[in-house]
Structure formats: structure tokens, C-alpha cells
Amino acid sequence: MFPNATTVATTSLPLIDLANFTNSSTESRLRTAQQLVSACRATGFVYIVNHGVPKHELERAFAISSKFFALPLEEKMKAPHPPGWSVHRGYSWPGFEKVSNATSSKEDDVAVRKLREVQDVKESYEVGSESNPDMPNIWPPEEVLPEWRPFMTEFYWMCFEAAKAVLKALALGIGLEEDALVSLHSGHYNQLRLLNYPPIPAQALEEGTSERMPAHTDWSTMTMLWQDDCGGLQVEDPNHAGKFIDVEPVEGALVMNIGDLMMRWSNDVLRSTSHRVTLPPLRDRIEGEGRIIRQRKSIVYFLTTDPDRLIEVMGSCVDENRPAKYEPITQRDYAAMRARMQY
């Protein structure tokens, strides 16, 4: 599946305790912010503990998500993702989305068909703000899963509160005013994604006939992810193209990564790093004579600025020795370049 790629068996990502930023002295806050930025300069990925989302709420989110994905397909299809690439809400069935790093400024059916020759074996559900005029939420009928809409609506904003603390630390760590990045995010254009990877033969991933999620960067400002104990998430080593590092589950920690928007704003000071979901590193995640990889579940929160905001390199990240690497582009236009190749 990855003929030119090698993997590292153990994670080497740093771990940041956000309590040292949110509940500490000015000196400790600055030191923690600098540690976070240092990690994001190096790999673009970091574990964060004491992130502000209570354990019992995360457990409930995973439990409700599991109940939804265990429903019969006809029940899940009562809240289907709309056709096309412009609205990302509701339920996406296995094979509907094809993740990649491909971009296009226009429709390219030939390239899309080529990408879809290998199917992504995953299903997802996308939730946003009820006040997003561009992407109205799509909800299952109440009788299908009564707790889905009220909980996910509340959980969406709970994740945004946690994200704001991370944004403040990033801003302070790169020399900006603490609220500089928070002020660019209203919260109404983020995306909560519930993900389920069904069991799949290991051979299908090894031979490249199917994928769980191919290598890609995120087109967000930043992403927060919680994963179960299955494993399989890998991040590309920024210093060794094609070498992927296992991001093993760490109890109580979220995985935060820098997205393309933050990389553009920071003029590559902060890295948006390629990552993928593939074979888990531990043998006990593969079961039976058929070598079936067990189910994997995760919850992802994409933090994104408002669609008409211009994404241009910040003045503090440019000097005579480091000119701007990116032309200005709106979030709407950048997202369209990526999305039209995935649906």
C-alpha cells in the first residue's frame, strides 16, 4: 500500500499539560505556550492533557456515537450527507468521501474518479453550529436517536471552549497578543466529526485495495482529535518524507495538529503535517485467521475561521530574510479547492 514508506513503531510526539497555561502564573503560561509552539514547529502534532473537555462528557460522546453507527443503514440514511462537496453535514456512508491532498480550482471528474479507484472504508457524521448559514445541520429524526441532537449541539460548543484555550497558547507562543487568534474565530464555522472505521481485513490495507484514511493535511486552522485504544493514526516525519510515526492512544489526552490555515498565517512557522489512518501497531488489534482489524472510533473537531476571511501571512511572520510564501486567499476559496476533490 505504501511502497516507499516506512514506519516508526513508537510515538515521539511531545505532551503538553494545558493546566500549566490555563491555571498558572504568567511565567508558567508563557513557558507552556512556548513549549506548545516548539512542538508545532517540529512536527505539527502534539498530545494535550487537561484540555478542558471533561472525561465524562467524552465518554458520553463516544457512547452516543457508537449507538448511532450501530444503527441499521436505513436508519442512518435518514440524515444523509447532501450530494456534492459544498455542504459537509449529516451521515457519510463508507466510500462516499475520498480523503486526499489533491486540490483543484474547478470541477475535475477525471481526477476524482482516479482517486476513488481505492475506497476509504469509514463512515462519519458531521455537525456544525446551528447558526452557520452556509452549512445547515442535518439531524436524524428524534425517534431514531433522541439524545443525538441535544448532546452533539452542546458538545460542539464544549469543544470550541477547549479550542480557544489552545489558540490563546499558540498566539502567545508565537509572539502575538493572547486573543489575536481567538478573535479570528467566531465558532460558527467549525466542524465536529464523529468517525467509525468498521472491521476490515488487514490484507486489504496491505495490498492497497482499500484504505481507512489516506495521507492528507487538514484544511482547518487546527484540529483536535480523541481516539479509542485501537490505534492506526500515523503522522509523517517532517524531516524524512515517507516515514510515518505511530500516534499511539494516550489515555486522557487529545491529539492536536496544525492545519493548513494556521500554516499559511504563520508563514510555515507552524507546520501542517501529513497524517493517515492505517494498520494499528499492536498485534492484538488484528483478530482471527482472517486477520481482521478491529473497529476504530474517533472524534474530531476542526477549528476554522469564517469563510470570507482573507488568509494572508501575518506581518509578524515576515521579514527581509523570510518573505511571505503564500498569496492571500479566503477560507471559502481554499476549502473549495480541497473539498471538490473529496466528494
Side-chain angles (χ1 to χ4, degrees):
M1 180 182 176
F2 306 107
N4 298 316
T6 57
T7 60
V8 177
T10 57
T11 185
S12 59
L13 299 183
L15 186 148
I16 301 295
D17 186 343
L18 203 61
N20 293 328
F21 179 81
T22 56
N23 302 320
S24 298
S25 64
T26 300
E27 181 181 344
S28 177
R29 285 166 58 82
L30 180 58
R31 182 169 58 251
T32 304
Q34 291 171 339
Q35 289 171 347
L36 177 62
V37 165
S38 177
C40 293
R41 284 176 183 266
T43 61
F45 271 72
V46 61
Y47 294 110
I48 298 178
V49 295
N50 292 316
H51 42 68
V53 180
K55 179 182 178 181
H56 69 275
E57 297 289 0
L58 281 169
E59 289 174 345
R60 191 175 175 210
F62 273 104
I64 294 175
S65 178
S66 295
K67 286 178 68 174
F68 177 83
F69 288 120
L71 291 170
L73 179 61
E74 59 266 26
E75 294 294 289
K76 293 183 283 192
M77 289 299 292
K78 291 179 178 179
H81 188 295
W85 54 264
S86 60
V87 176
H88 310 297
R89 294 292 182 265
Y91 172 67
S92 295
W93 50 97
F96 180 71
E97 179 194 42
K98 179 60 185 179
V99 171
S100 76
N101 262 346
T103 63
S104 179
S105 59
K106 60 183 180 180
E107 303 295 335
D108 190 341
D109 292 339
V110 174
V112 170
R113 284 197 299 271
K114 181 67 175 176
L115 287 170
R116 289 181 172 275
E117 289 178 357
V118 178
Q119 187 181 82
D120 290 3
V121 184
K122 66 179 189 304
E123 54 184 343
S124 64
Y125 198 109
E126 323 295 334
V127 175
S129 166
E130 292 280 61
S131 299
N132 183 338
D134 296 337
M135 296 193 190
N137 277 316
I138 298 171
W139 300 109
E142 185 175 357
E143 63 270 18
V144 171
L145 194 59
E147 62 265 48
W148 183 262
R149 181 172 183 172
F151 177 80
M152 293 304 170
T153 300
E154 180 181 359
F155 188 69
Y156 173 94
W157 290 106
M158 194 181 305
C159 291
F160 182 51
E161 288 304 309
K164 287 194 288 187
V166 179
L167 280 182
K168 289 181 179 182
L170 286 171
L172 197 62
I174 59 175
L176 302 174
E177 292 294 323
E178 188 172 307
D179 290 326
L181 296 177
V182 172
S183 68
L184 303 177
H185 298 81
S186 69
H188 292 297
Y189 297 92
N190 305 332
Q191 181 172 309
L192 172 64
R193 162 173 272 205
L194 298 307
L195 270 163
N196 179 57
Y197 299 84
I200 183 175
Q203 186 176 359
L205 300 186
E206 292 165 345
E207 295 181 350
T209 56
S210 297
E211 295 180 293
R212 277 195 153 174
M213 188 173 290
H216 64 285
T217 60
D218 292 342
W219 15 298
S220 55
T221 298
M222 72 175 196
T223 303
M224 304 188 305
L225 173 139
W226 292 270
Q227 56 181 330
D228 68 6
D229 64 350
C230 178
L233 175 63
Q234 296 179 334
V235 56
E236 188 171 22
D237 185 336
N239 301 311
H240 299 89
K243 178 182 287 187
F244 282 78
I245 303 166
D246 289 318
V247 183
E248 297 176 5
V250 173
E251 186 175 359
L254 67 79
V255 178
M256 189 278 284
N257 65 279
I258 296 298
D260 293 355
L261 301 186
M262 185 71 83
M263 184 173 71
R264 295 174 76 98
W265 268 324
S266 71
N267 206 26
D268 285 0
V269 170
L270 305 178
R271 293 176 182 257
S272 179
T273 308
S274 182
H275 51 286
R276 69 189 187 191
V277 177
T278 183
L279 290 162
L282 302 179
R283 293 186 63 84
D284 65 358
R285 307 302 190 244
I286 301 176
E287 303 170 339
E289 291 184 4
R291 299 179 62 241
I292 303 300
I293 303 174
R294 47 172 269 208
Q295 179 186 37
R296 180 182 189 269
K297 293 170 284 187
S298 64
I299 297 173
V300 189
Y301 193 78
F302 300 102
L303 186 77
T304 305
T305 190
D306 301 357
D308 294 318
R309 185 173 297 283
L310 197 64
I311 311 301
E312 53 186 338
V313 174
M314 295 178 173
S316 60
C317 298
V318 176
D319 56 38
E320 60 182 22
N321 297 316
R322 188 177 55 181
K325 296 182 178 181
Y326 302 102
E327 292 295 323
I329 188 172
T330 64
Q331 186 276 336
R332 187 188 304 276
D333 288 344
Y334 186 76
M337 287 171 58
R338 295 290 302 270
R340 61 170 51 96
M341 300 300 288
Q342 295 197 12
Y343 291 91

